[in-house]
Amino acid sequence: MDQEDRIALFLDYENLALGARDHRGGADFDFRPIADALAERGRVVVRRAYADWSYFDEDRRMLTRSHVELIEIPQRMGASRKNAADIKMAVDAIELAFERDYISTFVICSGDSDFTPLVHKLRELNKRVIGVGVEGSTSALLPPACDEFLYYDRLEGVDIPPTRGQRARPARQAGVDQRPPEPEPEVDRRPAGEEPGRDVDALAVLVAQTVAGLQGSANGEVTASRLKRTLLRKDPTFSESDYGFRTFGELLRHLAERTVVELAEGPAKGDPEVSLPEHGDREVAFGLLRGVVADLGSGGNPVALSGLKNQVRRARPDFSEKKLGYRSFLQFCKAAATAGVLDLRWSPEADDYLLTTPN
């Protein structure tokens, strides 16, 4: 138990519940998916929700059954009531951060950008911060401030809202001539709120670049857990489930099958070491680059870097230096030069890099 994260949960309930109802077709807010998601991340020792509960009488029972402490913020005047709830929640979170050293993670359930300074302060106090918000009502400023951000709409167990615009067909009436039904127009049958699968190729580029950066930092081996933490720092909303994978390990095995990364036994069971392929695709890409430069610079003429990538893609349309872990085409060419595949030099006269094949 000592190795488990202790979590303090704070819910800006008005923001969360109204956001769910307004942006999810009137669907009721359900606390259970949030509780389940946090149970996977640690032990929740504090659960508090802030609202004027006279407006959410039906929700009180649901939260009480989940052992959430209800903090009453009596109604005063519109915005002032909302500000009072926000201030009370922020003060309680900071007070808890100072008084309870064993609490390592704070969960702020709100999409309101007003909580961004609170998130920054908690992280300054060496606390991990997880945000939770309804996708349609979350400010763009809040997710990047957090260590991890969970969209309520994407959590396991959250029902897909009903499709709008569906109407019941009228009943058939006796004695009335019924015309054959006209064919319905072709529509997207994907349930409302369900997004198409994200681009796995773009994910492969992101993972390769991240692994390359971690390897270049010379801070030891790159484990799967370290890679996942780094991806969350780059994009707190990152989740392998958005790409159709049940676990991060399943995602890495898929990328290993595509030779984007290589997996080896790590220091702990279930936490493999991740690296970029040292050979294979990279050497093939170097050979492709050398061949294109040789063709364009027949007779020993140098080839300018500008426009070269387009020529490489003409020879191989699926070429991407980012899939190999390089942030730019220039970095890829420099790596090829370091490997002795070609010569690369800066020309002040041409105001460009020039490439030639070695004699």
Side-chain angles (χ1 to χ4, degrees):
M1 182 181 293
D2 289 340
Q3 295 180 351
E4 289 183 319
D5 282 341
R6 265 69 164 195
I7 299 174
L9 170 64
F10 292 84
L11 294 103
D12 176 11
Y13 198 77
E14 182 173 341
N15 178 278
L16 210 58
L18 295 183
R21 294 172 188 176
D22 292 344
H23 296 274
R24 306 194 70 254
D28 290 335
F29 172 76
D30 185 6
F31 174 71
R32 175 51 53 186
I34 294 179
D36 291 344
L38 297 183
E40 299 168 356
R41 288 162 171 79
R43 180 172 171 233
V44 181
V45 296
V46 175
R47 302 183 183 194
R48 296 178 184 173
Y50 298 75
D52 182 343
W53 295 107
S54 62
Y55 285 89
F56 303 100
D57 190 55
E58 293 295 326
D59 298 15
R60 297 169 66 114
R61 298 184 186 88
M62 170 191 65
L63 295 171
T64 302
R65 284 196 299 267
S66 298
H67 311 288
V68 177
E69 180 184 0
L70 306 182
I71 308 299
E72 180 73 37
I73 307 295
Q75 180 178 9
R76 292 183 179 88
M77 291 289 294
S80 65
R81 174 175 57 84
K82 181 66 173 68
N83 290 339
D86 293 354
I87 293 171
K88 173 64 174 170
M89 182 169 150
V91 169
D92 286 357
I94 292 296
E95 182 180 35
L96 207 63
F98 280 105
E99 292 184 350
R100 305 288 188 268
D101 290 339
Y102 56 82
I103 295 180
S104 58
T105 302
F106 283 74
V107 179
I108 307 299
C109 292
S110 177
D112 193 340
S113 62
D114 289 347
F115 286 105
T116 304
L118 171 63
V119 172
H120 288 316
K121 178 56 68 175
L122 289 171
R123 296 185 68 184
E124 184 180 324
L125 295 172
N126 197 30
K127 304 298 184 182
R128 173 175 165 81
V129 181
I130 299 174
V132 181
V134 177
E135 192 161 7
S137 62
T138 295
S139 167
L141 299 175
L142 189 59
C146 302
D147 293 294
E148 182 179 5
F149 197 91
L150 306 175
Y151 283 115
Y152 170 77
D153 319 58
R154 303 180 189 177
L155 293 179
E156 186 69 27
V158 175
D159 294 331
I160 297 172
T163 304
R164 294 181 179 179
Q166 288 185 347
R167 299 179 180 177
R169 293 185 178 181
R172 297 173 64 95
Q173 299 179 9
V176 178
D177 182 25
Q178 297 289 336
R179 296 182 180 180
E182 297 181 0
E184 297 181 359
E186 192 68 26
V187 296
D188 186 1
R189 298 297 182 185
R190 188 170 61 244
E194 181 177 329
E195 296 182 353
R198 296 193 175 186
D199 187 358
V200 179
D201 287 337
L203 174 63
V205 169
L206 175 63
V207 171
Q209 286 182 333
T210 304
V211 172
L214 291 173
Q215 287 180 330
S217 64
N219 288 330
E221 70 278 356
V222 180
T223 61
S225 58
R226 184 184 176 195
L227 175 61
K228 176 68 177 289
R229 290 194 299 269
T230 305
L231 290 172
L232 283 171
R233 283 196 291 269
K234 288 185 172 184
D235 178 9
T237 67
F238 170 80
S239 173
E240 60 275 2
S241 63
D242 290 339
Y243 298 88
F245 299 98
R246 294 170 296 178
T247 64
F248 191 63
E250 182 179 322
L251 164 62
L252 290 179
R253 289 191 292 273
H254 172 77
L255 295 180
E257 291 173 358
R258 297 178 56 184
T259 67
V260 175
V261 297
E262 289 181 347
L263 301 179
E265 186 176 351
K269 185 177 180 181
D271 192 13
E273 183 176 342
V274 187
S275 61
L276 293 176
E278 292 296 332
H279 303 288
D281 281 2
R282 191 183 69 166
E283 291 191 348
V284 171
F286 283 170
L288 171 66
L289 177 64
R290 178 189 174 97
V292 172
V293 170
D295 290 342
L296 295 175
S298 56
N301 295 321
V303 177
L305 179 67
S306 300
L308 179 59
K309 183 175 179 178
N310 291 334
Q311 298 297 327
V312 172
R313 281 185 167 172
R314 286 183 181 179
R316 183 175 171 181
D318 63 342
F319 169 81
S320 172
E321 74 281 355
K322 292 182 173 60
K323 289 183 180 180
L324 302 172
Y326 300 102
R327 297 182 182 276
S328 66
F329 186 65
L330 173 60
Q331 187 184 37
F332 169 70
C333 292
K334 286 182 176 179
T338 301
V341 175
L342 45 77
D343 294 325
L344 176 69
R345 65 180 178 85
W346 173 258
S347 171
E349 295 81 10
D351 194 27
D352 200 353
Y353 284 96
L354 299 180
L355 298 89
T356 55
T357 53
N359 296 328

